[in-house]
Amino acid sequence: MEVIPAILENSWAEVEKKLKLIGNRTDWIQLDVSDGQFTPNITWAKSQDLFSLRTDLKIEAHLMINGPWLKAEEWLASPVKRIVVQVEPFASPESVRFGEIINTAKKYGKEVVWGFKIETPWQDYKELFQSVSRVLFLSVNPGYQGQEFDRRVIDKIVSLRQTYPHIKIEVDGGINPDVISDLKNAGVNALVVGSYIFNSPDYKQAIAALEA
């Protein structure tokens, strides 16, 4: 099981600190970007800071923001490898803005991942699955780390895996070793984890427990 540590911080200094703590323990890292509108909290959100970063980690930026189409190119032009875009801010599943973001990603040779809240039925967005190879299901309310895992996400994972066996599925929020077996059996490919890793006295051991 792939583990992607999630960093949700208010300042670039704290983001950098956690990036260094992870070091080369994983291949990927997720940077959470919250605007205080789509989410109740505001986090670090300056993509230009990434140009000074020296790391072998591959970065995905999770844009938990309103109007992601206004910021997508800024992030795709930065050193991130892919962006996670929540579907909820768009006017409808038929919005042309989805396609605009995909085209911008192609221009930069980057990847787009569509993100879904617990309450959002992925079935309403079937057309979007033709344009991506990966999706992310939130298993908590977006914005804060340390929340309890919401088991409703399991049924969403199972139904998507049955319909689209080739799509890779990330699950994000409230993850700890107690839920790994159920997620693996449901068909998850990657775990996005913040609190369990960074609240552990031994990051390497915490990541190993999740990968097992």
Side-chain angles (χ1 to χ4, degrees):
M1 183 77 75
E2 181 183 17
V3 175
I4 304 175
I7 297 176
L8 188 155
E9 291 293 345
N10 295 326
S11 71
W12 174 242
E14 288 300 314
V15 171
E16 268 194 310
K17 180 180 177 181
K18 285 190 172 179
L19 284 167
K20 290 175 182 176
L21 288 172
I22 291 300
N24 62 356
R25 293 181 176 89
T26 61
D27 293 329
W28 283 86
I29 198 90
Q30 184 187 94
L31 303 181
D32 287 325
V33 179
S34 299
D35 63 358
Q37 299 176 39
F38 183 79
T39 59
N41 61 320
I42 299 175
T43 65
W44 164 84
K46 296 180 180 178
S47 62
Q48 60 267 32
D49 289 336
L50 296 172
F51 287 97
S52 64
L53 186 64
R54 297 292 178 265
T55 182
D56 292 328
L57 288 167
K58 298 172 186 175
I59 300 171
E60 70 174 22
H62 188 177
L63 306 185
M64 294 182 285
I65 60 176
N66 279 344
W69 51 88
L70 301 174
K71 293 289 186 177
E73 183 158 16
E74 171 190 329
W75 286 94
L76 289 165
S78 80
V80 305
K81 297 294 184 184
R82 62 188 180 222
I83 60 172
V84 181
V85 179
Q86 290 294 135
V87 302
E88 292 82 12
F90 295 80
S92 74
E94 291 78 31
S95 172
V96 298
R97 298 191 187 277
F98 287 114
E100 292 171 355
I101 291 176
I102 291 294
N103 289 336
T104 303
K106 289 178 179 177
K107 181 173 76 171
Y108 290 98
K110 305 292 180 67
E111 183 182 1
V112 174
V113 180
W114 300 128
F116 296 83
K117 288 183 179 180
I118 287 283
E119 297 82 7
T120 305
W122 65 263
Q123 292 88 345
D124 292 349
Y125 295 83
K126 283 185 176 180
E127 293 299 318
L128 299 184
F129 289 85
Q130 299 176 17
S131 60
V132 298
S133 61
R134 179 179 292 256
V135 300
L136 179 146
F137 284 148
L138 284 166
S139 44
V140 296
N141 291 320
Y144 293 105
Q145 291 185 342
Q147 300 179 64
E148 185 175 347
F149 179 80
D150 190 328
R151 297 192 63 83
R152 289 181 295 168
V153 77
I154 299 290
D155 288 340
K156 295 181 70 170
I157 296 163
V158 170
S159 61
L160 179 65
R161 173 57 65 232
Q162 291 173 344
T163 308
Y164 296 103
H166 65 286
I167 291 282
K168 291 185 177 180
I169 303 172
E170 295 182 22
V171 176
D172 182 353
I175 294 171
N176 59 62
D178 294 337
V179 301
I180 299 302
S181 178
D182 288 342
L183 290 174
K184 187 181 293 186
N185 291 337
V188 169
N189 301 101
L191 310 171
V192 181
V193 188
S195 296
Y196 178 77
I197 293 174
F198 291 109
N199 290 340
S200 171
D202 187 329
Y203 300 153
K204 186 175 182 179
Q205 186 176 2
I207 291 168
L210 296 166
E211 290 175 331

